[in-house]
């Protein structure tokens, strides 16, 4: 099957279909589905509590859905032969124990995927944490923690990058860095899926948009399609989600 | 996976602090209150802490998400984690188990019982693994340590006459708790 794919094909198609998640009798996801494709930045947008994080956690095999599928290249995440080289994930926080150093954290993740220690130094330099590598994660600022999480996600140079609210807690310089960086990833043929509740910040970054509200997808399409007749993405977003208790 | 888990344990400062204190307390108690391996009755608390820390530290800083995205097959990951823990604990338990009898040998000339040392080492290693399994179930370091120490030092003396010897209890309860922990861990939301 692999040989039929065009040369340079990195894979990384995300397919979510009919996902249902209930927690404590409350329906968090009501059968949602969408796709994120290689070479594009897909913005997964919705107000807080709409079900964005739950969807990403199910996609990453962290949480279990009651129904539906979330696949990467046709395979559920836990069945991926080489997860670290296929998908990189940046969820909230650093994802690292506070008493370990940034470098020690990256080392054990690298080791789990059989990556050389030199790769740890590469990603530390890439996110600008080389000087703080010997510091304990507990002493990191919020922004440094986010950069450590990004470095962890990039260890395996994965075909897919999944980011939950990547702009949260970043200063303008950090926002600019993340935006440029994600555009570059997509340009090199990789898949980028990011969630956010900040519409204005994203319009220049995303190609495709999926809007979720109260556990239901209310719009999908390219940025232009979803914006439609509205003045901008932000207006379109509020029009689409205005039924949601605002 | 085992190497990754070992790297995790070794790079956690609390691992070394716990082991250091456990050995220090054991040596001290040997001089102060007892001879031979009797102080282990107290210093085994250190191994309880070590085991609980090994699994509960996953729930600090959201590390569990990093662990499960890097190693998403949960049961093999948990097995690797416990194997790494056993590999680290065994030599540490041997040192602690030897320390008491060696001091007694030096001070009083009482010969060291190889069988006794081996039994203590096995006991401490199994106790660490049980503690790690309890850590998986509770996901909270203080709760885990509290529960286990309560069992060892408060509840155990009361029910002692109804239970077989400590070692037999541990040999039975270790695999049972490990399996319960693995089944829970496999299914639950991280």
């Amino acid at each position: 099957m692999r040989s039929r794919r065009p040369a340079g094909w990195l894979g990384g198609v995300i397919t979510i279909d009919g996902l249902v998640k209930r927690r404590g009798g409350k329906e968090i996801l009501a059968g949602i589905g969408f796709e994120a494709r290689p070479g594009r930045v897909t913005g997964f947008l919705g107000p807080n509590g709409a079900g964005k994080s739950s969807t990403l956690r199910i996609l990453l095999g962290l949480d279990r859905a009651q129904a539906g599928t979330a696949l990467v290249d046709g395979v559920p995440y836990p069945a991926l032969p080489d997860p670290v080289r296929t998908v990189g994930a940046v969820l909230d926080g650093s994802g690292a124990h506070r008493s370990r150093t940034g470098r020690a954290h990256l080392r054990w993740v690298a080791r789990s995927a059989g990556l050389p220690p030199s790769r740890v130094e590469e990603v530390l330099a890439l996110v600008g944490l080389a000087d703080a590598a010997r510091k304990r994660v507990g002493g990191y600022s919020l922004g440094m923690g986010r950069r450590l999480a990004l470095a962890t996600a990039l260890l395996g140079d994965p075909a897919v990058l999944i980011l939950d609210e990547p702009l949260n807690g970043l200063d303008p310089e950090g926002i600019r860095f993340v935006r440029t960086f994600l555009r570059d990833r997509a340009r090199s043929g990789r898949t980028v899926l990011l969630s956010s509740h900040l519409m204005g910040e994203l319009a220049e970054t995303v190609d495709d948009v999926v809007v979720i509200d109260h556990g239901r997808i209310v719009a999908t399409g390219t940025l232009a399609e979803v914006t439609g007749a509205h003045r901008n993405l932000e207006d379109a977003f509020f029009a689409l989600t205005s039924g949601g208790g605002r | 996976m085992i190497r990754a888990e070992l790297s995790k344990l070794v790079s956690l400062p609390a691992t070394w602090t716990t082991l250091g204190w456990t050995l220090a307390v054991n040596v001290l108690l040997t001089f102060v209150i007892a001879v031979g391996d009797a102080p282990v009755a107290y210093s085994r608390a250190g191994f309880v802490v070590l085991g609980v820390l090994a699994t509960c530290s996953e729930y600090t800083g959201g590390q569990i998400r990093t662990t499960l995205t890097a190693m998403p097959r949960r049961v093999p990951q948990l097995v690797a984690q416990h194997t790494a823990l056993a590999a680290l604990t065994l030599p540490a338990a041997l040192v602690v188990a030897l320390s008491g009898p060696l001091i007694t040998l030096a001070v009083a000339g009482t010969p060291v019982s190889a069988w006794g040392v081996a039994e203590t080492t096995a006991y401490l290693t199994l106790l660490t693994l049980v503690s790690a399994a309890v850590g998986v179930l509770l996901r909270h370091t203080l709760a885990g340590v509290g529960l286990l120490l309560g069992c060892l030092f408060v509840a155990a003396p009361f029910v002692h006459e109804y239970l077989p010897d400590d070692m037999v209890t541990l040999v039975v309860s270790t695999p049972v708790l490990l399996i319960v922990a693995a089944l829970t861990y496999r299914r639950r939301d991280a």
Side-chain angles (χ1 to χ4, degrees):
Chain A
M1 184 163 160
R2 181 154 290 186
S3 60
R4 295 240 189 114
R5 286 167 180 168
W9 194 84
L10 293 164
V13 181
I14 296 172
T15 319
I16 291 173
D17 188 27
L19 225 48
V20 175
K21 177 72 181 174
R22 280 180 293 268
R23 202 176 283 137
K26 194 169 163 260
E27 194 164 63
I28 292 159
L29 297 175
I32 70 154
F34 65 88
E35 202 172 74
R37 285 171 293 150
R40 302 185 72 82
V41 176
T42 304
F44 187 33
L45 312 181
N48 286 328
K52 302 185 296 288
S53 299
S54 297
T55 306
L56 299 186
R57 289 178 61 95
I58 292 166
L59 175 59
L60 293 166
L62 295 173
D63 288 0
R64 189 178 283 267
Q66 271 81 21
T69 52
L71 309 174
V72 180
D73 291 336
V75 180
Y77 188 92
L80 286 173
D82 196 349
V84 174
R85 286 188 184 79
T86 314
V87 178
V90 181
L91 301 179
D92 66 321
S94 64
H97 194 284
R98 59 173 179 265
S99 69
R100 226 176 247 119
T101 66
R103 180 178 280 127
H105 173 72
L106 291 166
R107 282 244 168 113
W108 76 254
V109 181
R111 202 159 272 180
S112 78
L115 293 162
S118 61
R119 181 62 192 157
V120 169
E121 304 308 315
E122 283 173 28
V123 294
L124 278 168
L126 190 63
V127 302
L129 271 184
D131 292 336
R134 292 172 62 186
K135 261 177 79 173
R136 289 193 184 177
V137 174
Y140 281 16
S141 68
L142 186 64
M144 288 162 85
R146 306 283 309 183
R147 278 188 275 164
L148 179 62
L150 183 61
T152 314
L154 293 173
L155 271 173
D157 192 18
V160 179
L161 210 49
I162 296 172
L163 309 99
D164 196 9
E165 302 280 358
L167 305 179
N168 264 12
L170 293 186
D171 53 17
E173 193 197 337
I175 291 180
R176 193 185 154 90
F177 169 78
V178 169
R179 270 192 192 153
T180 317
F181 182 78
L182 296 181
R183 291 287 350 143
D184 287 348
R185 292 299 285 184
R187 200 172 301 125
S188 68
R190 292 173 170 86
T191 309
V192 178
L193 172 62
L194 62 93
S195 81
S196 184
H197 65 278
L198 304 166
M199 303 313 123
E201 304 286 356
L202 278 171
E204 303 155 41
T205 313
V206 300
D207 303 301
D208 296 324
V209 178
V210 178
V211 184
I212 183 171
D213 190 33
H214 285 88
R216 284 169 212 281
I217 301 293
V218 291
T220 56
T222 63
L223 181 63
E225 284 167 4
V226 173
T227 309
H230 299 279
R231 201 150 44 91
N232 54 35
L233 181 60
E234 196 163 5
D235 283 3
F237 174 77
F238 283 121
L240 287 162
T241 60
S242 60
R246 269 165 203 282
Chain B
M1 277 201 292
I2 293 173
R3 290 185 57 211
E5 291 297 339
L6 203 54
S7 157
K8 238 193 249 181
L9 278 173
V10 171
S11 64
L12 198 65
T15 304
W16 302 108
T17 324
T18 307
L19 286 176
W21 276 105
T22 306
L23 182 62
V25 165
N26 194 66
V27 168
L28 196 70
L29 285 178
T30 310
F31 280 115
V32 175
I33 59 150
V35 291
D37 58 10
V40 167
Y42 300 96
S43 54
R44 62 184 171 167
F47 287 86
V48 168
V49 175
L50 177 70
V52 174
L53 269 178
T55 46
C56 286
S57 64
E58 290 286 350
Y59 297 91
T60 300
Q63 183 186 284
I64 186 70
R65 298 186 314 239
T66 310
T67 295
L68 291 181
T69 44
M71 297 174 271
R73 282 171 280 272
R74 294 192 186 187
V75 173
Q77 183 269 324
L78 198 68
V79 170
Q81 188 174 43
H82 281 77
T83 310
L85 181 61
L88 178 92
T89 308
L90 204 63
L94 182 63
V95 170
V96 171
L98 266 175
S99 65
L102 280 182
I103 290 166
T104 318
L105 171 69
V107 175
T110 320
V112 176
S113 148
W115 174 246
V117 169
E119 198 183 348
T120 308
T121 306
Y123 175 83
L124 291 175
T125 306
L126 286 177
L127 185 64
T128 309
L129 292 178
V130 163
S131 306
V134 170
V136 170
L137 291 168
L138 296 181
R139 293 188 269 187
H140 192 282
T141 310
L142 268 180
V145 170
L147 176 75
L148 283 157
L149 293 188
C151 284
L152 282 180
F153 292 103
V154 183
F158 281 108
V159 295
H160 203 257
E161 51 189 310
Y162 308 108
L163 284 179
D165 133 71
D166 271 7
M167 190 66 186
V168 177
T169 313
L170 204 52
V171 165
V172 175
S173 60
T174 306
V176 172
L177 272 165
L178 284 176
I179 289 167
V180 172
L183 290 176
T184 312
Y185 190 64
R186 191 166 69 102
R187 295 207 59 89
R188 80 178 166 207
D189 287 353

